[in-house]
Amino acid sequence: MQNENASLRRLEDSRWGVEAGGLRNLPWKPDADNPLAPPVLDIDWLVAQPLLPVLVEVVPASVLHRSLMAHGLEDSLEVVEWLRGEQLQRVLDFDIWSESSALGSEDVSASRVVEWFRAWLEVGPEFAAERFFELDEETIVCAVTSLFEIQPEGMGGTADEMPDDYVLTPDRKFHVKMRIEGEEEFEIVQQVLRALYGRDVRLASRVFAYSAMLVRQETLEDALRWRRGRLADQGFVDVQEARASLRLRAEGSLRDAVRAHVKREQAKVLDAEERKLKFAKTEVAFMADIEPEVFDAVAARFRAMDPADGFRYVATLLEAGEIRRIVGSSAEDAESIMDDDDIVKEVTERAILQARALMSRVYGLAAQAKAKNATNPSNTAKPDTSMLVERAVAVFEDATEGDLLDLKSRMVRVSNALAAALAPSDFLTGESFHRSLGIARGAMNLGLEKVLAAPGDYALDVDPSEFEEVRAAWALKSVGPEFLFQLGWQSIARLPLLLAEAFVSLEQAQPEAFAFLATRRKVHTSDSSTLEVAVDALVEAGRYVDARKWLEGLELHLPAPAFWVANAVLNRAPLFPEAFENATRALRPFCTASEIAQVERFAASLAQNLADSPHSAMASSRQGEASGAESTAHA
């Protein structure tokens, strides 16, 4: 085994490559109503809010993006109109990039750029140009080169010599050919060209000059690097960091890390009533820090408003006495009030805090609606089917709104890391996000069960007389979603190797009966050499693609339920096979310790579970005995 592992180090680093399509290929439909997910906002509700310009800045870009996509860009123009600057750039980071098979990396999607221009042009050509020009340079160049093929005047021929499908730009310096297909899309791109030059001829000319001159691949790499940085700032961790978080850790070291963390967290709680999660309603938790970029963006919005419009916000957020105290009694007209920096500072802070409070209540209502039965012990009208972690989150509805907002943000970051590690090419898509969120929810539920089963092992001080939901909520707060996920994931992630080792051991122990398993497989290394490796070593090295190819070759030789179980478990993200419960190939994420135990028992009794295989010598023997008995009975 040591020699094999040494050889496996030479295998090309494709071990993190999952089947084409990543998480989307898992035969399991995620729960769209996962209460741990950030809510998809009702755009009509958002538009109706007086603080719409501020909410557009405060709502996380990922939530805003999913909400816009669910409602439709063209039906969300009131929100699109306020989406500008850095927040616009962050939303586009989620939307306009897609996997390019030609480049083997992500690239700007011309069709998505056109959709955004379609929405901007509904507001007006000048607005469309302004929004485009305020994006970062690399995104602009990648978008322009995705829409146009550019030839500087004189390099590809004169205007008379150029093919008919090339158009001369208004400054007569470039010939451009539209790359987009479709008559309607072609017309939109023409409007884009006119809008950019109509807004600023010199700036548009520079954009097309850079786009024609720069090496696109280098610009694309720079754009992707800046995009990764912005995503990391929002909790979407780097792929390598995400993969590192999924590595198996020694149980003792993980437990020690959890114990140290819990002691630090519990030391922060001095009030015994607070330890029981009977927190007082307060905004202190989420009022403490306002990100400078959010403050600057909202302040700029207020300064750019018409004085009369801006004063309406001031009058809503500040009392008349406060206004006089800040600007003095001499300033009475709207223009002079809105020119006062202290007024802008105060109204900006108030607006952001109110917007955050509103969003926190939205988060709380979503959690409360999902688990209102679970948190009411006297309600027996409907049996509770929600997970323990969901009921724990619902308890936070009685906590500070800031705690709930922070908790759900951390849970989403855990899911983002899981998706980035398992499917780096499509982890920002809605489908992959919900799948990873479902897997993360199950792992956190497992971790919560593990901690509550032996709280002393993790230095967790819980009151056994409390309701289970309250104890779970205290554990969730003390241990944190990150460590709960780690504890649960360790139980899930060791199952593929456990099952692979059971297959290998079975063939070695009973070679005549189970030779058909052929658990050694030839694999190719990065230096073009070939190795013959046992399937458990493949799994240990993370070569799941090769391990699954081995399993596919056994489909016709294994009993159907046994194959379904192995097919579900031998994955980088193992899933629970519902074949344990009924004759079905359906799968779902692991959520409970009892589900883990079922797979462990299956692996421990593998010989018995494979005994009905037509290629098993034991099965042949039993069939022969049955035939002999039948012949004797006939005689």
Side-chain angles (χ1 to χ4, degrees):
M1 180 65 74
Q2 289 181 347
N3 291 335
E4 286 183 354
N5 286 339
S7 300
L8 284 169
R9 296 191 188 98
R10 296 190 286 112
L11 293 176
E12 57 186 341
D13 190 21
S14 62
R15 60 181 183 271
W16 279 98
V18 294
E19 294 80 351
L23 288 169
R24 291 173 295 177
N25 260 8
L26 293 177
W28 150 68
K29 185 174 178 58
D31 176 14
D33 296 326
N34 190 329
L36 306 190
V40 174
L41 300 176
D42 183 339
I43 294 296
D44 293 331
W45 170 86
L46 189 61
V47 170
Q49 301 306 307
L51 287 174
L52 173 63
V54 183
L55 284 167
V56 170
E57 286 292 340
V58 170
V59 172
S62 57
V63 175
L64 197 56
H65 168 249
R66 283 195 294 274
S67 304
L68 288 170
M69 295 305 103
H71 196 79
L73 271 181
E74 288 191 273
D75 295 327
S76 309
L77 292 182
E78 294 91 340
V79 176
V80 170
E81 190 171 359
W82 285 108
L83 186 56
R84 308 175 184 186
E86 287 297 319
Q87 183 75 326
L88 172 61
Q89 179 73 64
R90 287 189 287 265
V91 169
L92 293 184
D93 283 338
F94 290 100
D95 193 68
I96 66 173
W97 293 85
S98 62
E99 188 72 12
S100 169
S101 56
L103 295 175
S105 68
E106 290 177 291
D107 196 1
V108 168
S109 165
S111 61
R112 293 308 303 160
V113 173
V114 168
E115 289 304 308
W116 279 92
F117 267 116
R118 188 197 304 272
W120 291 335
L121 289 167
E122 287 288 330
V123 181
E126 185 173 357
F127 178 86
E130 287 175 351
R131 299 291 74 75
F132 187 66
F133 283 143
E134 68 188 10
L135 301 177
D136 73 359
E137 178 182 315
E138 291 78 12
T139 301
I140 290 174
V141 171
C142 287
V144 166
T145 51
S146 73
L147 294 175
F148 303 100
E149 183 179 313
I150 307 169
Q151 288 283 356
E153 166 69 9
M155 292 189 65
T158 64
D160 295 334
E161 297 171 337
M162 293 299 294
D164 293 338
D165 51 359
Y166 278 84
V167 177
L168 188 64
T169 56
D171 60 355
R172 307 189 65 81
K173 292 183 178 180
F174 306 95
H175 298 276
V176 297
K177 176 183 177 181
M178 317 295 180
R179 294 184 186 272
I180 201 75
E181 296 181 1
E183 186 175 340
E184 184 182 358
E185 289 76 12
F186 186 85
E187 175 58 31
I188 290 173
V189 174
Q190 286 188 316
Q191 292 181 52
V192 168
L193 186 62
R194 292 194 294 269
L196 296 181
Y197 274 91
R199 178 67 180 84
D200 191 325
V201 173
R202 184 173 298 178
L203 180 56
S205 182
R206 286 206 301 268
V207 166
F208 277 87
Y210 290 152
S211 300
M213 175 182 64
L214 298 175
V215 177
R216 190 177 193 277
Q217 185 61 35
E218 294 180 358
T219 304
L220 178 61
E221 291 172 0
D222 289 341
L224 286 171
R225 185 164 53 252
W226 284 108
R227 175 178 177 249
R228 283 193 295 269
R230 289 189 295 269
L231 291 174
D233 291 340
Q234 300 173 71
F236 293 83
V237 300
D238 177 79
V239 173
Q240 297 302 323
E241 182 182 346
R243 290 172 178 174
S245 70
L246 297 188
R247 294 193 184 114
L248 286 172
R249 299 174 60 177
E251 186 175 346
S253 67
L254 180 58
R255 184 173 58 248
D256 291 344
V258 173
R259 287 176 61 87
H261 175 78
V262 168
K263 288 178 179 178
R264 287 193 300 270
E265 288 298 307
Q266 291 185 151
K268 298 176 184 177
V269 182
L270 302 178
D271 189 336
E273 289 301 309
E274 186 180 29
R275 290 177 52 212
K276 295 179 180 179
L277 298 183
K278 298 173 182 176
F279 303 125
K281 292 278 185 177
T282 176
E283 295 179 348
V284 172
F286 62 93
M287 289 174 62
D289 298 310
I290 295 177
E291 298 85 348
E293 60 271 20
V294 174
F295 180 91
D296 292 343
V298 174
R301 298 257 175 119
F302 284 128
R303 289 192 177 96
M305 286 181 182
D306 179 89
D309 293 334
F311 181 73
R312 280 196 289 272
Y313 282 100
V314 172
T316 301
L317 295 165
L318 300 177
E319 296 181 359
E322 290 180 292
I323 297 174
R324 286 194 296 271
R325 175 179 58 79
I326 295 172
V327 301
S329 57
S330 59
E332 297 180 355
D333 63 291
E335 187 170 355
S336 60
I337 289 175
M338 291 307 299
D339 282 341
D340 191 288
D341 289 339
D342 292 332
I343 281 285
V344 173
K345 177 178 181 296
E346 188 68 27
V347 78
T348 297
E349 289 180 352
R350 296 280 184 93
I352 292 173
L353 295 178
Q354 285 197 19
R356 284 187 174 179
L358 180 62
M359 284 307 302
S360 188
R361 286 194 289 274
V362 169
Y363 274 56
L365 289 172
Q368 186 184 42
K370 176 70 178 178
K372 61 181 180 181
N373 288 329
T375 55
N376 184 359
S378 64
N379 187 355
T380 56
K382 181 180 178 182
D384 173 45
T385 56
S386 61
M387 296 181 198
L388 182 59
V389 68
E390 295 174 1
R391 304 200 301 274
V393 170
V395 172
F396 271 79
E397 178 60 14
D398 293 327
T400 62
E401 292 167 339
D403 275 346
L404 180 63
L405 188 61
D406 176 67
L407 176 72
K408 295 197 75 172
S409 298
R410 290 166 65 189
M411 287 180 160
V412 170
R413 285 197 291 271
V414 169
S415 301
N416 291 340
L418 179 64
L422 296 176
S425 63
D426 67 344
F427 77 99
L428 296 177
T429 66
E431 185 77 353
S432 288
F433 173 80
H434 283 292
R435 289 181 183 276
S436 65
L437 196 61
I439 296 170
R441 171 180 59 173
M444 283 186 273
N445 196 74
L446 266 167
L448 202 53
E449 285 188 354
K450 184 180 291 188
V451 167
L452 290 180
D457 291 350
Y458 302 96
L460 185 66
D461 182 15
V462 293
D463 184 350
S465 66
E466 288 281 11
F467 287 117
E468 184 182 38
E469 293 83 5
V470 176
R471 287 185 281 117
W474 172 237
L476 179 58
K477 177 179 176 59
S478 300
V479 179
E482 299 84 0
F483 273 122
L484 287 178
F485 170 79
Q486 283 290 327
L487 289 167
W489 178 254
Q490 299 298 308
S491 298
I492 297 171
R494 65 184 179 82
L495 294 178
L497 182 58
L498 178 73
L499 186 56
E501 288 175 341
F503 274 108
V504 172
S505 298
L506 184 58
E507 184 190 9
Q508 292 174 348
Q510 303 182 48
E512 294 183 2
F514 294 101
F516 70 93
L517 292 177
T519 55
R520 297 189 68 82
R521 179 175 177 81
K522 291 183 178 180
V523 294
H524 300 288
T525 65
S526 56
D527 60 2
S528 300
S529 60
T530 302
L531 296 174
E532 189 176 80
V533 186
V535 68
D536 59 341
L538 288 174
V539 170
E540 191 171 16
R543 299 278 298 197
Y544 285 92
V545 173
D546 291 307
R548 290 188 60 76
K549 286 179 180 177
W550 163 79
L551 181 62
E552 288 167 6
L554 291 176
E555 183 171 6
L556 299 179
H557 308 304
L558 298 179
F563 177 78
W564 296 343
V565 171
N567 190 50
V569 174
L570 284 178
N571 282 294
R572 187 170 299 286
L575 296 171
F576 176 73
E578 294 186 9
F580 282 127
E581 300 171 348
N582 48 61
T584 177
R585 301 186 68 166
L587 309 174
R588 67 172 184 260
F590 281 96
C591 299
T592 65
S594 63
E595 292 171 351
I596 298 289
Q598 289 184 70
V599 175
E600 292 172 339
R601 287 194 296 269
F602 175 87
S605 306
L606 188 60
Q608 182 179 343
N609 290 314
L610 302 187
D612 292 332
S613 168
H615 286 74
S616 168
M618 290 188 297
S620 301
S621 174
R622 284 201 308 275
Q623 290 170 0
E625 291 172 1
S627 299
E630 187 176 349
S631 299
T632 303
H634 259 312

